[in-house]
């Protein structure tokens, strides 16, 4: 008597369960926009579906709708002008609470089956959502497709899979039979009910509106909670499409669709009232430190899962693949103009330079060669435009201008504004590379989100490793890297990352980049340094989102 | 190449893993003080070992020892006069951090094996610890033995088992091989290191110094953390014996014993400095709301697992076993003079009375019959002394006096002071039973820890269920009960407990009591209402105590 959708998706779930246990390579959703996978007409259909939203009211039929609001500015300069329903938050919360009863009754298998069905449906909309992600975030097309659709869906599935593992471990019932020596045993029947904590709020970010939203959204949903998605004001459309699809899947399968709603607040105070509401029991957030810390300080009624700012860094000690290393770094620093929470901001290079297979390179040579490598990598406009995308926010443009001005360090490579013939209004910028001394902590030891990188001159490798550890322990990081040909250096860096609790990439010189995190294999964030209090991909991310309520009676 | 202690204890661990998944009856440690289990000389040996501590300095060889302090007052009036080392908290924290490196290197299997070895060693000391628990808490002998030793050890093992399950699910390494179409695949080797969050502090309570301490202690230890045990000032000895044994096991197996230390602070500010120290990453606490809430508000650097006050209650709608119900309640309310976090404080009875197999009983008859049942149950002094134990604190004596004074409600049964011939100075008190109206919320709607129970007159059963839910949602509870012969009433109460998130006992009329929670079967606390933010027996209790730090490199 299992749920039909659980049966339908059981094979995928089983494979996913194996993947989270072995963490080798696996993906449920094809990252290539291949017609074989997605259908010959999918690219056109998806583009049309996206275009059909432009200039329209995005109807969701949510309770408590009081008006309409929009105003997303496309970094590519496209006019979007989509209007979204503004709903009374009390109405959304009450409706979510009401819907939780039926969701609880669906049971672990029912919820799991429905969540995977939702993900499959989102996968079928991959092109539509990719366009929405691209146009709201400024990501290049291929990145918007991959990170916005299949990779985000994989992360959602990963959360569903951990949630299933934890919940399915709790037995529905048990017979407790305690021996009483020569007397008959004490016998009780016990039932164990899994109940969601309460209404969850998932606060989206402006750069990765699905990739960073789906883990919390699906972790909360799968564990029995209602979810209110509060997207970033500039990246609403990908969230709105997602919410509409989830509501449709719920309704089609007899669950109250108000379990999942979109909240587009008319003012900041509405968001604050929402996340601090007594009925809200969890808040997932990705974004800056100011609002993130506000959430941690004020949402005392809720479990807050927050991914905040950090200062990702790489120690460069030595290499036997100098040019491949520089190429790898050039790509990392250019991708989406560095607007990733995983992009390296500080490259820590010994003052005495580094040994390479091409001889010793001084600190200044490393600086100059890296600048040249970035310049060379972005020389072809079609490559540059595809990799860089567009700059998402005016704040990031201002940070680039500040760095270019030279006040943060010596400009090794100035940022250039590129023209995008397809989108003449697009704000396209190449990375700015700065040189500074380890002592200039005020410059490099805070997150400067965007394509801004410091080559930091450090006394020696040991000092670089120590600096990396201190930066991460005090300011956080989602990624760290090391380049070295010496095992003892890699060992020392490894031990440092165990203390600072950051994921380490070693000697990346090929087609894997420090800022990439693969679902089902990499742990995105450790939850152990200031950049994030949770890893998106472990049991801790799901185990506290539900409770077990037991009842017992003698038979 | 597994750890020899892991091999030694593998069978026990496997059985425990099955137990946490099936949650039927199982216990690793015999709750009966049987010579067959514990040895013919165990009772005498244990008593002598306990007595050998009296009047002595309890040497632990901890770093930073600056003096000695004691001062426990036995509720049985026994002179204890044990002195414990006072240690500089910076020294304890630094030593714990240093010891964590070797503990991390021991790996999941090594830590698990060592933790179970510790529990086995504590089990061999069951009589010694039981005397220490009895004399510091006032528990009767049998309860001190069971709750203080085997049951506490089982709870420790339960935490170790959940910790093992979560950690062993994380692979040590993986080969990630991503296909690249016609090109060779991308291949990486990834290592996943489990690291503890940091130093853990476990704050003990005065009534259950082992039962409530072992879950947090072993959960933190097993997941790779150093632990500083900060016992209640009046129940230090059971914690000190435990810490000494754990340190011995560690040292015998090549691990720095400073991984586990005892902190007997010389003043309250020391405790506050300890729990708010930047290096302290988790705090486990059982006790009152004032300090508990202080911890939650101030220990922002740590994960706080807190079990606080609550208002446990039982709805009495009807019964087909009136006298057995009254006997069951009489035992529940008398056991350890109600000094349990699980003892019922409010019995919610319809104003119109209840149906029983013996005819309808009015509210007043229920009150009178319950008073008589308690009186009758405690009529034999040897039963009364064994069940009641002694009152642990002056605060509880004051609360009993207040209730006896009649200001909180009509006194149905006054508390009596009993003489204990063996311990003439023991403070022994029988329960006080009060009648009040549902409207008298100020009387019964806050925890009045000790043998104080209200029979609350409620309009009808539906109102009683609604009141129970509201009390639990707003003031918390670890236990709730229902007596009813009507399935629809049990169903309504069940649904109410799903919303208020409390464990429900249904129609207990035999030898199981609402205030008893069996390790490996009952979930002690749900973590979903104000009485506790964690369940001691689920994945959420362990999953957030460690982090996974990965490193990856191309092969």
């Amino acid at each position: 008597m299992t749920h039909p959708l659980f049966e339908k998706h059981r094979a995928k779930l089983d494979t996913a369960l194996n993947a989270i246990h072995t963490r080798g390579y696996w993906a449920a959703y094809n990252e290539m926009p291949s017609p074989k996978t997605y259908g010959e007409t999918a690219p056109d259909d998806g583009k049309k579906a996206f275009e059909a939203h432009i200039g329209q009211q995005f109807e969701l039929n949510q309770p408590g709708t009081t008006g309409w609001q929009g105003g997303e500015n496309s970094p590519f300069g496209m006019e979007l002008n989509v209007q979204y329903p503004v709903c009374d938050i009390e109405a959304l919360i009450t409706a979510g609470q009401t819907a939780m009863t039926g969701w609880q009754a669906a049971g672990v298998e029912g919820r799991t089956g429905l969540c995977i069905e939702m993900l499959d449906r989102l996968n079928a909309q991959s092109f539509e959502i990719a366009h929405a992600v691209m146009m709201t975030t400024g990501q290049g097309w291929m990145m918007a497709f991959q990170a916005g659709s299949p990779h985000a869906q994989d992360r959602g599935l990963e959360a569903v899979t951990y949630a299933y593992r934890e919940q399915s471990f709790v037995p529905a019932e048990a017979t407790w039979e305690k021996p009483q020596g020569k007397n008959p045993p004490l016998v009780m029947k016990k039932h164990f009910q899994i109940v969601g904590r309460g209404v969850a709020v998932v606060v989206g970010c402006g750069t990765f509106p699905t990739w960073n939203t789906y883990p919390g959204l699906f972790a909360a949903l799968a564990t029995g909670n209602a979810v209110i998605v509060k997207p970033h004001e500039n990246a609403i459309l990908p969230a709105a499409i997602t919410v509409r699809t989830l509501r449709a899947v719920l309704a089609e399968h007899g669950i109250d669709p108000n379990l999942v709603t979109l909240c587009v607040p008319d003012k900041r105070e509405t968001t604050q009232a929402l996340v601090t509401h007594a009925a809200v029991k969890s808040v997932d957030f990705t974004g800056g430190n100011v609002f993130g810390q506000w959430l941690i300080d004020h949402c005392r009624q809720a479990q807050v899962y927050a991914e905040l700012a950090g200062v990702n860094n790489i120690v460069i000690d030595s290499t036997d693949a100098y040019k491949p290393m520089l190429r790898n770094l050039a790509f990392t620093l250019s991708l989406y103009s560095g607007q990733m929470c995983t992009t390296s901001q500080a490259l820590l290079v010994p003052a005495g330079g580094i040994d390479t297979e091409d001889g010793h390179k001084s600190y200044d040579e490393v600086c100059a060669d890296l600048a040249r490598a970035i310049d060379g990598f972005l020389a072809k406009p079609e490559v540059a435009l595809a990799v860089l995308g567009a700059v998402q926010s005016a704040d990031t443009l201002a940070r680039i201008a500040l760095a270019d001005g030279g006040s943060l360090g010596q400009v090794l490579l100035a940022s250039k504004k590129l023209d995008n013939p397809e989108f003449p209004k697009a704000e396209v910028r190449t990375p700015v590379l700065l040189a500074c001394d380890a002592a200039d902590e005020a410059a490099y030891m805070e997150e400067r989100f965007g394509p801004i990188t410091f080559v930091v001159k450090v006394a020696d490798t040991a000092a670089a490793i120590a600096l990396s550890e201190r930066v991460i322990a005090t300011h956080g990081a989602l990624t760290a890297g090391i380049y070295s040909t010496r095992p003892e250096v890699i060992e020392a860096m490894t031990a440092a990352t165990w203390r600072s609790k950051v994921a380490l990439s070693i000697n990346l010189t090929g087609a894997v980049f420090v800022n990439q995190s693969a679902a089902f294999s990499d742990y995105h964030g450790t939850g152990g340094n200031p950049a994030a209090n949770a890893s998106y991909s472990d049991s801790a991310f799901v185990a506290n989102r539900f409770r077990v309520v037991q009842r017992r009676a003698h038979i």
Side-chain angles (χ1 to χ4, degrees), chain A:
Chain A
M1 288 297 287
T2 58
H3 195 283
L5 287 178
F6 185 77
E7 286 309 317
K8 176 180 174 186
H9 298 300
R10 189 191 278 267
K12 183 178 284 173
L13 177 65
D14 284 343
T15 314
L17 283 164
N18 179 61
I20 63 170
H21 186 38
T22 56
R23 299 198 79 86
Y25 171 79
W26 186 67
Y29 300 107
N30 189 350
E31 72 176 5
M32 300 310 292
S34 148
K36 277 187 200 159
T37 301
Y38 290 96
E40 292 295 336
T41 64
D44 272 358
D45 295 348
K47 186 145 198 252
K48 280 179 195 149
F50 162 69
E51 287 168 349
H53 299 305
I54 307 300
Q56 302 297 312
Q57 288 191 341
F58 197 101
E59 183 57 74
L60 284 166
N61 299 310
Q62 293 188 166
T65 304
T66 59
W68 296 86
Q69 186 170 299
E72 293 152 294
N73 290 310
S74 173
F76 285 107
M78 184 185 189
E79 290 291 328
L80 294 170
N81 195 26
V82 188
Q83 296 288 308
Y84 306 94
V86 175
C87 300
D88 175 58
I89 61 165
E90 291 292 342
L92 295 182
I93 289 169
T94 303
Q97 287 181 307
T98 303
M100 276 180 66
T101 306
W103 192 231
Q104 177 181 311
V108 177
E109 296 192 345
R111 289 194 296 274
T112 304
L114 271 146
C115 283
I116 303 180
E117 180 72 13
M118 291 170 186
L119 288 160
D120 277 10
R121 291 275 285 269
L122 292 172
N123 181 246
Q125 292 175 279
S126 286
F127 285 86
E128 176 189 359
I129 293 172
H131 282 288
V133 168
M134 178 178 177
M135 285 306 149
T136 53
T137 65
Q139 291 178 21
W141 164 252
M142 186 55 89
M143 181 173 189
F145 182 85
Q146 295 189 334
S149 289
H151 290 179
Q153 295 147 16
D154 272 326
R155 292 221 89 98
L157 181 61
E158 194 176 17
V160 170
T161 307
Y162 276 103
Y164 175 77
R165 174 176 181 263
E166 288 304 341
Q167 295 176 91
S168 62
F169 189 73
V170 178
E173 54 182 57
T175 301
W176 180 83
E177 189 167 331
K178 183 176 181 178
Q180 297 293 296
K182 290 167 191 163
N183 297 318
L186 290 172
V187 186
M188 301 196 89
K189 185 84 179 179
K190 304 186 180 187
H191 291 264
F192 306 104
Q193 180 74 27
I194 290 174
V195 298
R197 295 292 291 266
V199 175
V201 173
V202 180
V203 181
C205 72
T207 44
F208 289 88
T210 56
W211 198 92
N212 271 329
T213 293
Y214 286 5
L217 166 58
F218 281 95
L221 257 191
T223 50
N225 302 285
V227 180
I228 298 174
V229 178
K230 207 299 285 177
H232 187 278
E233 59 181 11
N234 204 60
I236 306 173
L237 187 55
I241 297 170
T242 300
V243 168
R244 180 187 273 175
T245 297
L246 268 51
R247 289 171 62 85
V249 171
L250 290 167
E252 287 164 26
H253 294 90
I255 305 285
D256 182 346
N258 290 331
L259 189 72
V260 181
T261 54
L262 184 79
C263 176
V264 178
D266 49 357
K267 54 185 185 293
R268 175 181 288 265
E269 290 71 28
T270 306
T271 301
Q272 293 176 340
L274 173 68
V275 294
T276 55
H277 195 287
V280 168
K281 298 299 186 187
S282 71
V283 177
D284 285 83
F285 172 74
T286 309
N289 278 359
V290 175
F291 188 45
Q293 199 54 52
W294 187 93
L295 290 170
I296 291 169
D297 288 344
H298 290 82
C299 303
R300 306 307 306 278
Q301 87 294 352
Q303 191 79 28
V304 178
Y305 303 88
E307 185 183 311
L308 309 174
V311 179
N312 304 310
N313 57 73
I314 299 177
V315 172
I316 304 181
D317 164 75
S318 53
T319 181
D320 57 8
Y322 187 56
K323 282 198 178 125
M325 174 186 88
L326 294 174
R327 267 201 305 270
N328 186 284
L329 291 172
F331 181 87
T332 290
L333 303 181
S334 302
L335 184 62
Y336 187 30
S337 294
Q339 299 169 97
M340 299 174 72
C341 53
T342 49
T343 303
S344 312
Q345 174 170 312
L347 310 180
L348 312 182
V349 177
I354 67 171
D355 288 330
T356 79
E357 84 284 13
D358 196 25
H360 190 82
K361 304 288 180 185
S362 71
Y363 169 81
D364 288 339
E365 284 173 305
V366 173
C367 288
D369 290 343
L370 179 58
R372 251 193 306 274
I374 295 170
D375 226 23
F377 172 63
L378 297 174
K380 287 189 187 166
E382 65 273 24
V383 171
L385 293 176
V387 170
L388 293 169
V391 174
Q392 191 260 339
S393 78
D395 288 346
T396 301
L397 288 172
R399 281 188 292 266
I400 296 169
L402 176 73
D404 262 341
S407 62
L408 299 178
Q410 180 203 341
V411 179
L412 299 168
L413 181 70
S415 178
K416 285 189 290 239
K417 186 177 188 325
L418 303 188
D419 287 328
N420 185 324
E422 194 183 352
F423 300 104
K425 294 183 192 164
E427 295 284 4
V428 184
R429 295 289 188 284
T430 65
V432 49
L433 193 66
L434 304 169
C436 74
D437 194 81
D440 305 332
E441 297 193 357
Y444 67 87
M445 219 183 276
E446 67 172 80
E447 185 180 80
R448 300 190 182 272
F449 192 76
I452 300 155
T453 304
F454 298 83
V455 187
V456 182
K457 188 192 283 188
V458 188
D460 55 23
T461 295
I465 292 173
L467 177 61
S468 166
E469 180 180 345
R470 181 163 64 88
V471 168
I472 295 166
T474 54
H475 297 275
L478 290 175
T479 62
I482 175 86
Y483 287 92
S484 182
T485 57
R486 299 187 289 164
E488 68 275 18
V489 168
I490 293 173
E491 214 167 279
M493 184 70 182
T494 297
T497 61
W498 290 345
R499 292 187 296 267
S500 63
K501 301 184 180 62
V502 69
L504 176 64
S505 291
I506 303 167
N507 291 329
L508 296 187
T509 52
V512 174
F513 305 94
V514 70
N515 49 340
Q516 291 177 329
S517 181
F520 293 105
S521 182
D522 295 316
Y523 288 81
H524 176 69
T526 69
N529 71 53
N533 68 4
S535 168
Y536 282 142
S537 40
D538 65 4
S539 294
F541 190 61
V542 301
N544 221 356
R545 296 180 190 259
F546 68 91
R547 306 281 74 180
V548 180
V549 178
Q550 71 169 54
R551 61 188 194 276
R552 59 183 185 179
H554 288 287
I555 295 175

